[in-house]
Amino acid sequence: MSSNTTVRPPPPPSEASGSDFARLSRKIAAAGLLGRRPGYYALRSTVVAGLYVSGWATVALIGDSWWTLAVAAFLAVVFGQVALLAHDAAHRQVFRRRRASEVSGRIAGAGIGMGYGWWQDKHTRHHANPNHQELDPDLDPDLLVWSQDQARAAKGLPRLIGRWQAFLFFPLLTLEGFNLHVSSVKALANRSLKHRTLDGVLLFAHFVLYLTVLLWLLPPGMAIAFLAVHQCLFGVYLGALFAPNHKGMPILTGEDRPDFLRRQVLTSRNVRGGRLTDIALGGLNHQIEHHLFPSMPSPNLRRARTIVRRHCQELGVDYVETGLVASYRLALASLHRAGAPLRHARVPV
């Protein structure tokens, strides 16, 4: 090659080139929606931390009074907001670097008694294969059955509960906060879990501090009542955050492996609403956009929605969006259909 030869860079990809997702990604990047939002997360983290501290300070101030149960309900919502911050940190929405994301996520997880490593592993597998019966851990039939195939194979509690699981769903959510703690502790036995010693120390430090504060500030009976109200409502809030997103959407099985865009869009549901809905659901109401771009800061998801919806319309890909109440109705209807074989079974439970 002569010294006069000029090497030109390859031309930029045209808007029509690449996969369906690649073309969408270029539109999203061009809109500047993948950039971090440090100011937003600094403000949000400060507000949530302030509410967290204020809640426990109020318990100390009120002391031996049944009004503390109202504070327990307030703290249940605050714990849910902390969980949402841990979620965003795990997806690197807050910080670009892995270490900063893990540190902030672990701090948030420790604040609510959640094993960060266990949850991150589980949630990563969910994102890779949403609503896949064999690959999505969120569809494990550990208590409920999510499809009629699971119902036919169900034994024990899932077989007993599955008959009427749509009616029992919200009452069972009162146990979800306890389940979060128990699952986090059980995961510590998994030797493949990274940093499990650190997770164990943080978990048990949370439990000891939580119980010590309650028993120090409140009489035993009131402390037990506070714990029950707080953890039960925390579980209901967690379930209310995640139930609208995929329940009642198509379930993939076996070799069902559509391309990335369709795998994420067709198994997810958005929830319509304004800024209050965004705050209450932590941006997870824009579930389609979140699954397509998990590292996108949650305040950018609303703007991304317009671009993603138009792109899906151009491709003829179903883009499902409902109101909040309708999303719960669809989720419960799906649970009821899944349990049908158990209601019609003639063999004893």
Side-chain angles (χ1 to χ4, degrees), residues 33 44 58 74 105 109-110 130 150 169 195 204 247 259 274 332 345 347:
L33 297 176
R44 179 175 163 189
T58 303
F74 168 77
Q150 289 183 345
F169 179 69
H195 308 298
F204 286 104
K247 308 311 178 192
D259 63 80
L332 294 176
V347 294

Side-chain angles (χ1 to χ4, degrees), residues 109 112-116 118-119 122 142 174-190 193 199-200 203-204 206-207 227 231 234 238:
I112 59 174
M114 179 184 76
Y116 177 81
W118 158 77
W119 178 84
K122 176 176 178 288
D142 49 358
T174 58
L175 302 177
E176 186 59 29
F178 298 103
N179 180 57
L180 181 77
H181 307 318
V182 172
S183 297
S184 296
V185 172
K186 288 172 62 178
L188 297 176
N190 181 1
L193 189 69
D199 282 350
L203 267 176
F204 286 104
H206 170 87
F207 298 148
L227 184 149
Q231 295 296 327
F234 174 44
L238 283 179

Side-chain angles (χ1 to χ4, degrees), residues 8 32-33 76 87 121 194 259 284 288:
R8 295 183 175 85
L33 297 176
H87 169 271
D121 173 72
K194 295 181 179 179
D259 63 80
L284 296 181
I288 294 173

Side-chain angles (χ1 to χ4, degrees), residues 128-184:
N129 295 282
N131 255 30
H132 193 290
Q133 186 166 280
E134 291 86 35
L135 301 175
D136 184 353
D138 287 355
L139 290 191
D140 288 346
D142 49 358
L143 189 61
L144 304 177
V145 294
W146 306 103
S147 71
Q148 294 193 356
D149 287 341
Q150 289 183 345
R152 295 185 186 98
K155 297 178 181 178
L157 272 178
R159 186 171 180 81
L160 177 65
I161 293 173
R163 293 184 170 197
W164 309 110
Q165 60 185 12
F167 301 97
L168 296 172
F169 179 69
F170 279 103
L172 285 172
L173 286 183
T174 58
L175 302 177
E176 186 59 29
F178 298 103
N179 180 57
L180 181 77
H181 307 318
V182 172
S183 297
S184 296

